[in-house]
Structure formats: structure tokens, C-alpha cells
Amino acid sequence: MIRISLVIPTHNRAEPLLTALGSVVRQSLPPEEWECVVVDNNSTDTTAERFAEFAAAHPGLNLRMVRETGFGVSCARNRGLAEAAGSVVAFIDDDERVNETFLESYLAFFETHPGALVAGGRIIAEYPEGRPSWMSKWVEMPIANPMDFGDEIRPFPAGRVPGGGNMAFRRDGLAPYGGFDPSLGRVNGRLIGGEENDLFERLLRGGETIWYVPDAIMWHIIPPSKLTTDYFRRLSYNVGVSQRLRARIHHRLLKTCLMEIVKWGATLLLILTMAPRRSRWLLRLRRGISCGLLGIGNGDR
């Protein structure tokens, strides 16, 4: 019987997907207790063919692909929720790899915490060509979103939520809160995000506790293409756009703008203690977010 489902949305990233799947097939749970559902979100490359070859090479595992024609990661994740056979559903992205006890750790958590509805795990940034010297922890957060809150199961710290590439839910309990908002999330390469944060905000408002499961470990693989000035400019701007969209949804746009002013003050204090190159990247981040939040300019140009 399938007890836990792993969902992986993907779009035109056949090679990274195979890397992710290479870690998935090493899971410690008995094969009959888990499945992996890959949601192909309108890929036009060789994703479907290469997945079929991979699945054929692992006939003893429950690996399957479904196609979702609604554009965007939110549509793909919602399709994964609908397709999942397990009572627990975990999500990763196609540019990651996970440890061998990833699914076992989540399943054990939900079985020993019957009142829990949502959890997230540890995220470790992985740089195949090395971590850039200019990267501070503040600049790294929007790029890789690393998180490590210790070795014990605990509620997430105030103000923090799981990364979209390492989260798990009790499927039936999630139904009253709805799924991921299709107006948020990445579509056709545009770097809008915030769909998971929006869902977590609804869960928190509903009185749920978000739990940290340290033994569900994900490595977020950051290629050199995500370490360029152009990518960082686009990413920062669209972080701001995402914040604006979510603020409008939850009727707190003024509060969000006021908080941005506070963050500018903290940023200016931080750069006094940083090396000049790191300071420049931090200022780019803050400027990009502010422009996106206020709708100034075009971050996709």
C-alpha cells in the first residue's frame, strides 16, 4: 500500500530531473510503500522520453509521470496533490537531490504527530563549481534558500516557513485550505514565486503549526547560470513582485511597504560591516525587491 507520495513538478529540465530521480530511487522505505509522481508541465524537450527510459530501468519502483497543461508550478503541484495515492504528500523540485531517508523521515514524523498537517525539512545549498566569494548569507537566501534549525524536530521559527522544494503535507487535512494559488508561482521561466508562502500563510491563519523535520534533507543544486548579475537582478525584482501580489491577496499592501522601509534600514546597517563586493550584491537585492514591490521598471527585461 502506498503510504507516502513524492511529487516533482518539471518543465524542460530533463537532465536535472534525472539527477533528482537518481536520489529518489535510493529511498530507504520498502518500494511498495511509496511512489514518485513527476508532473510534466508542458515540457517541449526530451523530458517525457528520458523519464520513460529511467522508469523502465527501475521496474520495481512506483515511478509515474502525468502531464499538466495548466501553465505554472502551482498548477503542477495541484495536479500532483490530486494524483497522489499516499496519505502524506511530499514535494521537491527538479533541481535538487534528497537523502536516502527523506521519505521515511517525513512518514515517521506524521505517524508520530497525528495532529500535524504540514512540515518542512533541512535545505543545503550545493554549488557544483564552488560557492562564490561575493555571496553573503543574505544574498544566498533568495537564490538557494538554505535552512538548518538544528537536529531536533520542532516548530519552524517565527517568520520562517519551509522551502517549496522541501515540504510535506497530510493530504486530507490540507483540503479545507485549498491548494496552491495559480496566480502565484513560476510560469514559462518568469521568476514570480510565493505560492508556497501564500499557502503557509493560510495554514498559519487557520491555527496550524508548521513543523521542522531535520532528517528530511534536500540539497539545492545551484548552477553557474543562477550566479550571474542578470539572473540575480531578475530574481530580486520578481521577489518584490511576488510580495506585492501576496500582500494584495491578503489585504496588507501598506504594511508590506512599511516593512520594506524597515528592511532598507537594516540593509544599510549591514553593509557597514561587509566587504565592498558583498555590499554591492546586498544593495542589488534590496533595490530589486523594492522596485518589484512598488511596480517600478521591468525585472524581466
Side-chain angles (χ1 to χ4, degrees):
M1 181 182 72
I2 301 297
R3 302 167 67 199
I4 183 169
S5 301
L6 177 65
V7 174
I8 310 177
T10 191
H11 173 72
N12 283 347
R13 291 206 286 195
E15 195 65 38
L17 174 64
L18 293 182
T19 298
L21 290 170
S23 68
V24 170
V25 297
R26 294 193 292 269
Q27 291 303 292
S28 56
L29 278 178
E32 65 273 13
E33 294 186 7
W34 64 275
E35 67 171 353
C36 177
V37 182
V38 175
V39 183
D40 180 4
N41 192 209
N42 300 297
S43 294
T44 57
D45 63 356
T46 60
T47 291
E49 294 82 0
R50 299 192 69 182
F51 173 82
E53 293 172 358
F54 186 92
H58 298 83
L61 301 179
N62 296 301
L63 307 176
R64 58 190 173 100
M65 173 176 281
V66 297
R67 187 170 177 85
E68 172 54 46
T69 57
F71 281 103
V73 68
S74 289
C75 291
R77 285 176 175 161
N78 287 338
R79 178 64 182 276
L81 278 171
E83 291 282 344
S87 60
V88 174
V89 183
F91 289 87
I92 66 170
D93 291 329
D94 59 7
D95 58 350
E96 305 169 353
R97 60 186 183 90
V98 295
N99 64 328
E100 294 181 2
T101 60
F102 185 82
L103 294 178
E104 182 180 0
S105 298
Y106 272 133
L107 189 59
F109 165 77
F110 282 104
E111 289 183 340
T112 55
H113 295 73
L117 175 58
V118 54
R122 197 187 311 245
I123 299 176
I124 301 172
E126 182 176 296
Y127 300 92
E129 297 191 12
R131 189 177 188 273
S133 60
W134 49 261
M135 182 174 285
S136 67
K137 67 176 183 177
W138 311 105
V139 169
E140 186 175 39
M141 287 181 69
I143 294 176
N145 197 23
M147 56 182 67
D148 186 339
F149 305 122
D151 297 328
E152 303 294 328
I153 292 174
R154 52 164 290 184
F156 258 72
R160 298 297 303 273
V161 295
N166 187 354
M167 56 186 177
F169 303 90
R170 194 183 302 277
R171 189 184 58 180
D172 291 344
L174 188 62
Y177 295 97
F180 297 93
D181 188 339
S183 71
L184 300 168
R186 300 189 176 184
V187 180
N188 287 337
R190 193 178 181 202
L191 299 177
I192 298 293
E195 74 287 347
E196 67 272 15
N197 292 45
D198 171 70
L199 178 55
F200 293 137
E201 186 167 344
R202 279 181 270 142
L203 290 165
L204 289 170
R205 287 185 174 184
E208 306 294 343
T209 298
I210 301 175
W211 291 88
Y212 169 69
V213 180
D215 292 333
I217 304 171
M218 177 270 279
W219 286 266
H220 191 182
I221 304 169
I222 309 299
S225 60
K226 290 188 176 182
L227 300 174
T228 65
T229 302
D230 179 67
Y231 179 86
F232 190 70
R233 176 184 57 80
R234 293 174 57 234
L235 177 65
S236 301
Y237 183 89
N238 283 290
V239 167
V241 172
S242 305
Q243 290 181 359
R244 170 160 46 92
L245 292 172
R246 287 173 46 228
R248 285 178 174 170
I249 290 170
H250 295 284
H251 309 291
R252 50 172 171 75
L253 185 57
L254 178 60
K255 179 181 178 181
T256 300
C257 290
L258 291 175
M259 283 300 301
E260 184 64 15
I261 295 173
V262 173
K263 291 175 182 178
W264 260 109
T267 297
L268 294 175
L269 288 174
L270 274 172
I271 64 174
L272 296 176
T273 65
M274 301 174 75
R277 195 176 183 197
R278 289 191 169 192
S279 298
R280 287 196 296 272
W281 282 84
L282 183 57
L283 284 172
R284 286 171 182 154
L285 171 64
R286 190 81 271 140
R287 183 172 62 246
I289 292 175
S290 296
C291 288
L293 177 60
L294 298 174
I296 300 171
N298 183 351
D300 287 325
R301 284 187 303 180

